[in-house]
Amino acid sequence: MSVTAVIGAQWGDEGKGKLAHILSLDHDIILRYQGGSNAGHTVKAGGETFKFKLVPSGMLHAGKTCLLCDGVVVNVMTLAEEITALRERGQLKGELMISRHAHLVLPLHCMQDVYFEEAKGKRAIGTTRRGIGPAYADKYFRVGLRAGDMLKDDFAHRVKAMARRKNVLFTGYYNQPEVDPDQVWAQVAPAVEVLAPLVGDTIQLVRRAIGNGASILCEGAQGTLLDIDYGTYPFVTSSHPVSGGALLGTGISWRELSSVIGVTKAYNTRVGAGPFPTEDAGPDGERMREAGAEYGTVTGRPRRCGWLDLPLLRYAAQLSGFTELALTKTDVLDRFEELKICVAYERDGRRIEWPDLDPEVLQRSEPVYEMLPGWHSDVTAARSVDDLPTAFMDYLGFIEDYVGLPITYISVGADAGATISRA
Ligand code: IMP
């Protein structure tokens, strides 16, 4: 029995999808525990590119069980589209189950997300507009609809009742037109047909699998610094990407978690608003964006780019109890003469090593950089550590020493094959 969690150590987009895809080959069950269609995972396999927002990466492999567990919010339209598209490409190979407890994201939630963001004006968070915040808000307000409700006779009635409730908000608060509850149901009903047969008791399935010694891979979405409690609130998502979320969102207990892999890029990115001390708004950041194709998978927005922030990485490692690190997109730094790496901050004339995630305080934290030599060579063809230049290994060693963890996976390019394992 083993339970491995793959967790973002930064503000999302760390390349978790690629690692999860590779690791999924060695696991029986691949599950998601939080987030929804705000996540965008790109997997390149067998010459084909797959972009997933909701389905776990294991769906490409026959014989795998893929779960969307209790803590996930399921956009019914998006998931039905992904399943239908994978079926049409003949690539829906794994078995998919949706937890009956998982809350549903309806088009109503997406509309609410957009209205809310627009009403905030300059103070907008820059959400993915995928209805994530409104769906989790309904969950905690105890008025949400769950996947299990799709199996009940009165589901159409419940969807229409939700539309009527949202109309009060849409018209009264956001000054927007009413939606027609019958039309909302007409839009949602075909997706429900696709999804309802996939709803089940994932908790029981997970508990049985653990009892039978199965191996489980928990695929995190977003990253530690976007966690609702441990991130840069309010510039966060509405779920728990940290390892605690993998327990809360699934029915796995802490006793069973065997390894927690923290995934970090060799530099930092952020999409949407919020503090980012090491952001480089100049030519270096621009080079990272172009070399790393740093544009959002879900929204296409350009990502903000900057240097690796080690105090934040160590914070993420401690919160989730990372047992090891995966370092991704290292090839993006191939052409830099020198690499900056943030080892502390300066604030009010003092050197500080522990990050304060209050947005205003973090933004005022001036990074203290060490300069390391670049390796200025193309590492994309490297397939073992022996192929990597000394300066590259020094950069790796610097991160390992600072965080106190081994880097067991090194990604040197976009393809699944461009990964060096030291695990
Ligand atoms: P939401 O999750 O759509 O509510 O967006 C809240 C914040 O999280 C925004 O800054 C988004 O850009 C960010 N975010 C959400 N999902 C992702 C992701 O998968 N990668 C990177 N940023 C994300």
Side-chain angles (χ1 to χ4, degrees):
M1 191 273 288
S2 75
V3 179
T4 299
V6 171
I7 292 183
Q10 300 170 307
W11 281 289
D13 309 317
E14 297 92 350
K16 300 175 292 291
K18 179 180 149 182
L19 184 65
H21 173 71
I22 294 167
L23 295 178
S24 63
L25 296 169
D26 299 328
H27 289 79
D28 306 308
I29 295 179
I30 300 98
L31 60 81
R32 277 193 56 185
Y33 57 88
Q34 46 74 232
S37 59
N38 48 348
H41 287 177
T42 307
V43 179
K44 294 196 175 184
E48 282 197 79
T49 302
F50 298 89
K51 291 191 182 207
F52 298 125
K53 295 193 188 97
L54 265 166
V55 297
S57 312
M59 289 310 298
L60 296 174
H61 307 307
K64 303 291 177 192
T65 301
C66 298
L67 308 178
L68 293 173
C69 288
D70 312 69
V72 174
V73 285
V74 175
N75 184 317
V76 291
M77 308 303 289
T78 308
L79 183 59
E81 276 163 27
E82 283 188 5
I83 290 172
T84 307
L86 275 172
R87 276 190 184 135
E88 280 166 4
R89 283 169 85 174
Q91 294 289 356
L92 190 83
K93 296 184 176 159
E95 293 282 331
L96 181 67
M97 188 189 279
I98 308 162
S99 165
R100 56 192 186 182
H101 293 172
H103 276 251
L104 300 179
V105 183
L106 301 182
L108 295 165
H109 295 107
C110 301
M111 294 166 76
Q112 192 180 344
D113 204 355
V114 172
Y115 297 158
F116 185 63
E117 279 284 276
E118 283 175 359
K120 283 187 106 173
K122 277 205 292 225
R123 288 174 41 252
I125 291 166
T127 72
T128 59
R129 302 184 166 212
R130 295 300 185 270
I132 305 300
Y136 277 114
D138 279 0
K139 167 176 170 169
Y140 287 101
F141 205 38
R142 292 159 296 181
V143 294
L145 291 171
R146 306 202 290 179
D149 294 330
M150 292 193 289
L151 305 176
K152 296 176 183 158
D153 293 340
D154 63 348
F155 186 59
H157 169 77
R158 289 184 191 217
V159 169
K160 291 181 202 175
M162 178 178 269
R164 279 191 288 274
R165 265 200 324 275
K166 294 286 181 202
N167 270 339
V168 178
L169 261 183
F170 292 174
T171 58
Y173 189 73
Y174 297 118
N175 209 14
Q176 295 289 337
E178 276 193 350
V179 293
D180 175 351
D182 291 319
Q183 273 180 16
V184 172
W185 173 245
Q187 187 185 3
V188 165
V192 173
E193 294 269 305
V194 177
L195 302 186
L198 304 173
V199 175
D201 183 350
T202 56
I203 302 179
Q204 187 177 168
L205 192 150
V206 162
R207 297 311 319 162
R208 281 218 181 116
I210 288 174
N212 294 334
S215 55
I216 299 180
L217 181 69
C218 305
E219 190 179 350
Q222 291 84 47
T224 305
L225 307 175
L226 288 171
D227 186 283
I228 183 88
D229 285 323
Y230 301 105
T232 49
Y233 188 91
F235 303 102
V236 290
T237 191
S238 296
S239 68
H240 289 294
V242 297
S243 61
L247 309 179
L248 287 173
T250 57
I252 296 170
S253 93
W254 61 271
R255 285 173 196 276
E256 288 133 9
L257 211 49
S258 33
S259 54
V260 182
I261 308 173
V263 187
T264 175
K265 283 183 197 177
Y267 50 99
N268 261 21
T269 63
R270 173 162 208 164
V271 57
F276 182 176
T278 60
E279 179 170 12
D280 189 313
D284 284 344
E286 185 58 39
R287 267 170 87 185
M288 291 175 198
R289 185 173 310 112
E290 290 319 309
E294 295 293 358
Y295 296 89
T297 324
V298 176
T299 57
R301 289 179 289 178
R303 296 181 186 138
R304 299 154 66 193
C305 297
W307 301 101
L308 190 60
D309 186 324
L310 291 179
L312 282 176
L313 181 58
R314 186 166 57 190
Y315 169 82
Q318 292 181 357
L319 282 184
S320 278
F322 293 159
T323 53
E324 57 205 278
L325 293 174
L327 189 69
T328 63
K329 299 195 92 163
T330 55
D331 53 307
V332 172
L333 300 184
D334 275 358
R335 278 156 225 92
F336 285 85
E337 286 295 310
E338 274 198 310
L339 303 171
K340 292 187 193 172
I341 192 159
C342 170
V343 293
Y345 312 104
E346 227 172 67
R347 212 169 49 232
D348 307 324
R350 286 192 10 246
R351 182 184 166 105
I352 293 153
E353 305 216 343
W354 179 255
D356 183 330
L357 270 79
D358 177 275
E360 186 269 325
V361 180
L362 191 60
Q363 194 56 55
R364 270 195 302 115
S365 305
E366 278 299 317
V368 175
Y369 288 115
E370 294 252 347
M371 305 298 292
L372 297 182
W375 45 89
H376 20 106
S377 60
D378 181 352
V379 295
T380 48
R383 291 297 176 267
S384 100
V385 279
D386 300 332
D387 302 331
L388 293 168
T390 310
F392 186 108
M393 294 310 290
D394 290 346
Y395 188 71
L396 233 78
F398 193 91
I399 299 167
E400 291 184 318
D401 288 347
Y402 189 100
V403 182
L405 289 173
I407 294 174
T408 50
Y409 295 92
I410 307 162
S411 173
V412 293
D415 282 339
T419 308
I420 298 168
S421 167
R422 300 154 98 198

